[in-house]
Amino acid sequence: MGEVYRKERATAPPGFFAAEADGLRWLAAARAVPVPSVHEVTDSSIAIDFVPTGEPTRAAAERFGHELAALHRSGAERYGAPWAGYIGNAPMDNTPMDDADAPTWPAWFVERRIQPYAREAMLSPDEQRAVDEVCDRIDELAGPPEPVARLHGDLWSGNVLWGADGRVWLIDPAAHGGHRESDLAMLALFGLPHLDVVLAAYDEAWPLADGWRARVPLHQLFPLLVHACLFGGHYAHQAATAARAALRAA
């Protein structure tokens, strides 16, 4: 066994590190993008492989684009996951919905990802109206049907490690079955080195549906609402701006 990295948090909410461990193991099972192995998990800690880091390179970005497409394409049985999730410090409801109630991603996305955080985000009336309109028009905004993808779920640049081995490693997942454009939109939210190379390689490996760039704000609405719940401030405004952009793109 190589060097181990241990994260500890005495006040971790129930299931916090278990969700991380379940997500890492589930992503690893796809044998696509490398993730650290889990060595031990308790209520207050997790021990995983230490990943030596290097510099971002175009070669690593291109490989990552191909591998991320393979990860997504490995799929999931249903939207959600069989474990209670977290995204950052926020609980995330991964409960699947019965096919009779929500046979498609749009309905699941509204019920499990948009509405719970919009209720907690302290949006102004105008901001709330924009989010509500997205929910009302979700079938129109969502684009063509996609197979259920195996998502990292919190794929911002801080959870992307450029390894010393020349590969990209993924850490700190909020893993679940969802829409593949959600991971790609998260990569763009806070910026990533060589993102254009990653996206081009991804599209080469598994071509994206027409109009996917116009749907980026729709998929960014969820993480922005989460940030509004956790940090307040300008994130509520950013979430409403994303909602309005998604509506204009329709």
Side-chain angles (χ1 to χ4, degrees):
M1 183 175 68
E3 189 175 352
V4 171
Y5 173 69
R6 182 179 295 274
K7 294 193 293 184
E8 295 181 305
R9 183 176 166 187
T11 59
F16 181 83
F17 286 115
E20 180 178 347
D22 287 338
L24 286 170
R25 291 171 178 140
W26 188 61
L27 296 179
R31 300 183 180 277
V33 184
V35 299
S37 295
V38 177
H39 297 287
E40 181 185 54
V41 61
T42 71
D43 290 342
S44 59
S45 70
I46 187 171
I48 61 176
D49 287 340
F50 174 78
V51 179
T53 56
E55 295 297 321
T57 67
R58 291 181 65 86
E62 183 173 12
R63 182 169 184 171
F64 174 48
H66 292 154
E67 292 177 339
L68 184 61
L71 174 68
H72 289 166
R73 206 164 197 170
S74 68
E77 290 186 7
R78 303 178 72 181
Y79 299 113
W83 55 80
Y86 285 87
I87 180 165
N89 291 325
M92 189 174 74
D93 187 357
N94 282 333
T95 308
M97 296 172 68
D98 292 338
D99 289 347
D101 296 329
T104 63
W105 174 79
W108 184 87
F109 185 64
V110 165
E111 180 73 19
R112 295 287 188 256
R113 293 294 179 261
I114 300 303
Q115 291 179 337
Y117 301 94
R119 286 192 290 267
E120 302 294 329
M122 301 296 290
L123 302 175
S124 71
D126 284 346
E127 291 165 346
Q128 185 66 57
R129 277 192 289 272
V131 173
D132 288 345
E133 187 174 353
V134 167
C135 295
D136 291 341
R137 295 174 57 190
I138 189 65
D139 288 328
E140 172 191 352
L141 304 178
E146 288 268 356
V148 185
R150 186 171 302 223
L151 299 189
H152 176 280
D154 191 11
L155 199 57
W156 73 289
S157 57
N159 291 335
V160 175
L161 296 185
W162 300 87
D165 60 356
R167 298 182 74 184
V168 166
W169 291 66
L170 300 184
I171 60 170
D172 293 347
H176 63 278
H179 195 301
R180 61 184 177 136
E181 290 175 13
S182 294
D183 265 357
L184 301 182
M186 179 74 92
L187 281 176
L189 187 56
F190 299 112
L192 182 78
H194 305 301
L195 179 59
D196 57 334
V197 177
V198 173
L199 295 176
Y202 185 106
D203 193 48
E204 177 183 68
W206 188 13
L208 289 154
D210 290 346
W212 71 269
R213 290 186 185 275
R215 291 186 292 274
V216 167
L218 172 65
H219 291 273
Q220 290 179 341
L221 178 56
F222 164 56
L224 288 169
L225 286 170
V226 171
H227 276 68
C229 293
L230 293 174
F231 309 115
H234 67 286
Y235 286 113
H237 173 72
Q238 284 188 260
T241 298
R244 294 182 185 111
L247 293 167
R248 288 196 301 271

